Amino acid sequence: MDGFGYRAWLQPSKAQLGFIPRLKGAKDFAWEECAHGLEALFGRKPTNRGDYTITLETSPDPAPEAYTLRGGPEGLTVTGGCEKGLLYGVYGLLSRLCLGEPVETMNVREKPAVRHRVLNHWDNANGTVERGYAGASLFFKGGRIGYDLVRLKDYARLLASVGINEICVNNVNVYRDSAKLLTDEMLPDLARVAEVFRPFGIRLIIAVHFDSPVILGGLETADPADGAVARFWEESARRVYEYVPDLAGFLMKADSEFRSGPAALGRTQDEGANVIAKALAPFGGNIYWRCFIYNCAQDWRDTETDRPKAAYNEFHPLDGKFDDNVILQIKHGPSDFQVREPNSPLLGAMTQTHQGLEFQITQEYTGQQKDLYATAVQWEEILDTPVTDACMTRDLVGHEVTAIVAVSNTGADANWTGHLLAQANLYAFGRMAWNPAQTAEQLTRDWAALTFGRDPSLVETLTSMLLESRHVYEKYNAPLGLGWMVNISHHYGPSPEGYEYMKWGTYHRATHTHIGVDRTTHGTGYTAQYHNYVRDLYESKKTCPEKLLLFFHRLPYTYKLKNGQTLIQYIYDTHFEGVGDVKRFIKIWESLNEKIPQDAYDSVREKFDMQLANAREWRDVINNYFYRVTGVPDDKGRKIY
Ligand code: GCW
C-alpha cells in the first residue's frame, strides 16, 4: 500500500540499529514478526553471522501476556509468559529500538493491567461505518463479510503492536443482515477473519441482536425466561464456537435507542444478560452488555426525567446478580461521549460486577477526524477522576474494571483514520489500556517519534500541539460541560438549540437570564448517585470543577467564575480564543513542512482548513446565540454577528 500514513507508527526507523541481529528461538509467529520488523523498520534481516543475538523464549508466567526484555553486551533475551506474551515482547523491543533505547542496558518487565483490551467497530454489513470518518468498513462489503486480506493482516499487526487483544467486528446496532453472523451463512467467512487475527493474539467478538431468537430462530419471543430462547442461545453459541473456537464472546446493546431488550418484555437486564452468559460459559466466552440505556422518547417539557441518571438507576440495583462472564460495558460519562462530562456514577459503584470502561476513539462529538483532538488527554482526565476520597477511577482498572473498550476510529482510508494525526488516538488507546498509568504526554511523544522520527524539535512541537488540541476544541464547543449544542443526527458543527426540543433528553434550558440543569440534590438529584465525597464536590458551585459547572448547576450569565470573569464573558472569550488557537496550530504545522513527508503534510494541512472553518462557525453561532438570548455585549467589543 502506498502513502506515508499506511504504516502508521510502524514506520521504517530513521535511526540506525547499531548492530547486526542474529535471531535465536523457535521459528514461530513471534520469530517471524521479529524478523519482519527488523527488516521493515531497520532494513536489517537477521543473519547467522550477526554480532548481537536476540533470543526469543517463553517461560510460564502467572500473567501469560507479560514479557521481559533483558539486554547485555552480547545479546538480549525476550521472554514471554506464553507465545502471546512473547509477541508483545517482540513489539515492545522493536518500538524501544525505534525510540533509540540502547539494547545492552534494556531491562524491562511489562504486563497488561487488564485482561480485555477491546476495540468495538461500528461496522455495518453493507460496508458503511456508523460514526466512521475514515472510509468504508475494513470487514464488510455488500451485505457480507468482505475484506482485503493484506490490509487486514497489517491492521491486525498495528493493533497487536499496541496490545489490543479483542475486537468486535460489527456495529452494536445490529441489523437483520449482520444478525446472521450467528448462522452458517456468515460463520465460514467470520472464521477466516478470525484466522487472520488469531496469530496476532486478537480474538473476535460478535455484536448480537437481542431478537435473534425471533429473527433467526423463528421463535415467537426473545424473552430470556423462555426455555426455547435459552436453547436458541445455547445452540447459537455451540455453532459459533465450532467455527471460531477462541471467540471472545458476544456484545449486546439492548433496550437502548429503540432497540429491543429485556425491559421491553418486562424482564431485568440481568435476566437478559445471564441467559446468554450461560450459553457462552462452556466455551469460555463473555457477554459484554452495554449500559447505555435511557429514555430516548422524552418529552422536552418533562423536567423530572434526567437522562444522565438512567444507567445507574437501571443497573446499580442489580449489582451481584450478573453471571461471572458478564461484563457491563459502561460509557465513561453519563451522557454520551461529549467533549466534557463527569464520569459515569456507575464506575466503581458495583463491587460484585465486572465492568468495562468504554471510550470513543472515533471523533463523533469531537471533530469527526477533521478537527485535531487528542483523545488521550481526555482519557487521562477521566482516569484521574475520584470515585471516593480514597480511590481514583484508574484504581478500578484491573479490579472491578476488567475491560477497557473503545469505539474504533479506523476504516478503509489509506491512512486508516482519515486524519493522519488521529492515528495518535488509536495508538494511545492500546497503550493506555495496557498500562493506564502512562501519561498522555508520554504516549503522544512516543507516537510522534515512532511516526515521524526522533527529531527532538519535531517531536516536541507535535506533542505539545496534540496535548493542547482537546482544550482548543473544547473552547469553541458547548461551554462548561453543557454539551449537545451540535447539529442533530450527524453531530458536526454548532446548533445551540438543535437538541433542545427533541426527545433525546439533552436540554440546557436557556432563558435570557439562566442556563443549565440543576443536577444537585436540590434539582434532579443526579449528584446523589455518586459516593458522598464526590457528590459533595459536585454539589457545591464552589468546589465543582469549573469545567463542569454547567453540567451540574443552573446559573445566571452574570455568575462570577474564580478568576472574576462572568459566565457570559467566559463564553465569548473562549470562543474567540478557540479560533485564534486553530490559526496558531496552522502556523505550527506550516513550520514543520520541511520535516514531514509531502503527502502527509498536505493531507493534514487540508484538515486544518476544515477545522478553522468549523471553529469559526462554532464561535459565531455560539456567541451570537448567547448575545441574542442575553443582550449582554462582549466587554471587549469584538464582532458578534
Ligand atoms: O452516541 C450515540 C451515537 C450512535 C451510537 C450510540 C451507541 C451505535 O450517536 O450512533 O450507536 O451512541 O453508543 O450505542
Side-chain angles (χ1 to χ4, degrees):
M1 300 275 168
D2 40 3
F4 169 82
Y6 185 75
R7 295 210 196 179
W9 51 86
L10 301 178
Q11 290 294 329
S13 175
K14 291 179 186 159
Q16 295 294 317
L17 200 49
F19 58 82
I20 305 166
R22 184 185 325 135
L23 211 48
K24 262 177 61 182
K27 284 216 182 188
D28 55 10
F29 188 74
W31 196 97
E32 278 170 34
E33 280 297 286
C34 193
H36 168 272
L38 288 166
E39 194 179 354
L41 300 174
F42 299 98
R44 279 277 163 89
K45 242 193 177 125
T47 132
N48 284 339
R49 292 187 305 277
D51 58 14
Y52 194 81
T53 306
I54 297 173
T55 306
L56 307 181
E57 58 169 43
T58 55
S59 157
D61 188 300
E65 291 180 304
Y67 67 84
T68 57
L69 306 175
R70 306 276 185 234
E74 308 290 316
L76 175 140
T77 302
V78 186
T79 311
C82 69
E83 234 181 274
K84 224 167 131 180
L86 180 59
L87 186 65
Y88 290 135
V90 164
Y91 294 132
L93 170 66
L94 290 169
S95 74
R96 284 183 152 84
L97 291 174
C98 289
L99 291 170
E101 270 185 48
V103 264
E104 293 83 0
T105 51
M106 231 179 251
N107 188 6
V108 175
R109 178 176 158 83
E110 284 267 356
K111 80 174 178 75
V114 290
R115 245 179 96 182
H116 309 285
R117 306 175 297 279
V118 190
L119 269 194
N120 284 184
H121 296 87
W122 284 355
D123 290 22
N124 299 313
N126 67 9
T128 58
V129 179
E130 183 158 346
R131 312 301 177 191
Y133 314 104
S137 169
L138 290 165
F139 301 99
F140 296 97
K141 214 178 253 169
R144 309 183 52 88
I145 288 180
Y147 50 85
D148 171 332
L149 186 59
V150 174
R151 245 203 111 120
L152 212 57
K153 194 172 165 194
D154 287 336
Y155 186 52
R157 177 178 297 116
L158 274 182
L159 301 189
S161 74
V162 291
I164 287 163
N165 65 356
E166 295 178 23
I167 60 168
C168 182
V169 291
N170 63 315
N171 190 354
V172 288
N173 288 329
V174 182
Y175 301 100
R176 278 173 184 265
D177 46 9
S178 52
K180 288 194 218 148
L181 280 167
L182 295 182
T183 69
D184 291 317
E185 196 181 317
M186 281 181 123
L187 279 165
D189 288 333
L190 189 74
R192 280 187 276 275
V193 174
E195 271 167 34
V196 175
F197 284 89
R198 184 171 297 121
F200 290 96
I202 298 171
R203 298 159 75 199
L204 304 190
I205 298 170
I206 308 176
V208 296
H209 198 305
F210 182 81
D211 284 339
S212 295
V214 179
I215 300 172
L216 304 172
L219 301 180
E220 262 162 34
T221 176
D223 184 347
D226 190 305
V229 169
R231 277 193 300 282
F232 169 86
W233 287 113
E234 282 160 19
E235 279 158 24
S236 298
R238 200 172 309 126
R239 182 178 324 110
V240 170
Y241 277 89
E242 264 169 35
Y243 285 98
V244 187
D246 57 351
L247 191 90
F250 292 166
L251 166 63
M252 175 77 81
K253 172 177 177 178
D255 289 313
S256 169
E257 301 188 325
F258 308 107
R259 306 202 70 74
S260 50
L265 300 169
R267 305 288 173 195
T268 52
Q269 299 300 317
D270 55 303
E271 290 176 283
N274 289 345
V275 69
I276 301 179
K278 288 189 169 60
L280 292 170
F283 308 99
N286 292 310
I287 169 87
Y288 290 90
W289 192 267
R290 291 179 93 229
C291 297
F292 184 55
I293 295 184
Y294 64 97
N295 175 7
C296 58
Q298 189 175 336
D299 183 338
W300 60 269
R301 296 167 191 85
D302 164 11
T303 54
E304 302 291 306
T305 309
D306 187 18
R307 169 169 166 176
K309 291 170 71 176
Y312 183 97
N313 285 345
E314 185 86 30
F315 285 94
H316 186 253
L318 305 177
D319 188 22
K321 296 197 167 160
F322 291 93
D323 285 7
D324 202 43
N325 60 332
V326 178
I327 300 176
L328 291 187
Q329 189 165 310
I330 306 167
K331 285 193 183 184
H332 64 76
S335 285
D336 185 9
F337 298 137
Q338 299 300 291
V339 64
R340 177 73 61 177
E341 49 180 308
N343 283 9
S344 168
L346 265 180
L347 289 167
M350 296 176 294
T351 53
Q352 310 299 312
T353 307
H354 296 299
Q355 295 155 46
L357 168 55
E358 184 179 326
F359 293 130
Q360 196 183 40
I361 319 181
T362 196
Q363 292 170 237
E364 176 178 2
Y365 294 97
T366 53
Q368 306 201 347
Q369 278 128 266
K370 296 186 180 92
D371 299 32
L372 186 67
Y373 187 89
T375 44
V377 179
Q378 183 171 12
W379 301 332
E380 187 173 45
E381 292 166 2
I382 289 164
L383 292 169
D384 279 339
T385 301
V387 177
T388 71
D389 50 345
C391 171
M392 306 290 263
T393 305
R394 71 170 71 251
D395 301 328
L396 304 173
V397 176
H399 304 281
E400 287 99 314
V401 172
T402 53
I404 296 196
V405 185
V407 184
S408 172
N409 64 348
T410 49
D413 274 2
N415 69 4
W416 307 99
T417 55
H419 197 313
L420 177 72
L421 305 187
Q423 291 180 351
N425 298 338
L426 183 61
Y427 175 86
F429 170 71
R431 298 264 327 259
M432 203 175 253
W434 176 280
N435 176 7
Q438 292 177 105
T439 62
E441 182 177 344
Q442 189 56 54
L443 295 176
T444 308
R445 203 179 291 279
D446 286 355
W447 169 80
L450 292 171
T451 306
F452 294 103
R454 286 191 280 129
D455 175 330
S457 87
L458 171 72
V459 170
E460 217 39 56
T461 311
L462 260 183
T463 303
S464 56
M465 182 168 74
L466 275 155
L467 293 177
E468 207 191 336
S469 62
R470 155 165 169 72
H471 303 292
V472 169
Y473 184 83
E474 185 176 18
K475 280 186 197 174
Y476 57 81
N477 211 265
L480 300 174
L482 214 50
W484 297 112
M485 289 186 149
V486 289
N487 283 312
I488 58 164
S489 309
H490 63 77
H491 298 164
Y492 190 72
S495 179
E497 296 200 328
Y499 274 100
E500 198 54 18
Y501 302 101
M502 304 278 287
K503 59 193 172 193
W504 303 97
T506 48
Y507 315 112
H508 56 67
R509 303 196 187 277
T511 65
H512 67 296
T513 57
H514 287 70
I515 188 163
V517 172
D518 180 357
R519 296 201 159 95
T520 68
T521 50
H522 307 288
T524 70
Y526 166 76
T527 51
Q529 295 184 341
Y530 290 99
H531 181 273
N532 296 351
Y533 170 78
V534 177
R535 178 202 61 203
D536 292 348
L537 207 66
Y538 294 144
E539 187 81 357
S540 149
K541 294 191 267 291
K542 296 259 143 44
T543 55
C544 179
E546 217 153 53
K547 290 249 154 111
L548 284 168
L549 259 188
L550 290 179
F551 184 92
F552 285 106
H553 298 278
R554 180 165 180 79
L555 295 172
Y557 299 104
T558 51
Y559 181 83
K560 285 260 168 68
L561 299 177
K562 288 189 184 114
N563 66 1
Q565 201 177 22
T566 60
L567 191 63
I568 185 74
Q569 192 56 43
Y570 171 89
I571 294 173
Y572 293 150
D573 284 355
T574 47
H575 284 77
F576 281 111
E577 267 169 46
V579 174
D581 290 341
V582 176
K583 289 183 183 158
R584 183 164 48 80
F585 281 178
I586 294 178
K587 288 250 153 62
I588 295 173
W589 187 250
E590 286 173 349
S591 78
L592 300 176
N593 192 354
E594 304 291 290
K595 300 186 173 188
I596 308 265
Q598 198 61 39
D599 60 337
Y601 174 84
D602 291 341
S603 79
V604 173
R605 183 65 188 75
E606 255 172 53
K607 301 282 180 190
F608 271 129
D609 283 338
M610 299 182 207
Q611 178 169 6
L612 183 59
N614 189 39
R616 277 206 179 108
E617 194 65 8
W618 273 95
R619 175 196 66 190
D620 293 337
V621 172
I622 296 293
N623 281 351
N624 206 51
Y625 174 74
F626 282 105
Y627 177 60
R628 287 186 188 182
V629 171
T630 64
V632 179
D634 170 34
D635 69 10
K636 298 186 179 75
R638 291 163 292 196
K639 173 95 178 153
I640 293 179
Y641 292 87

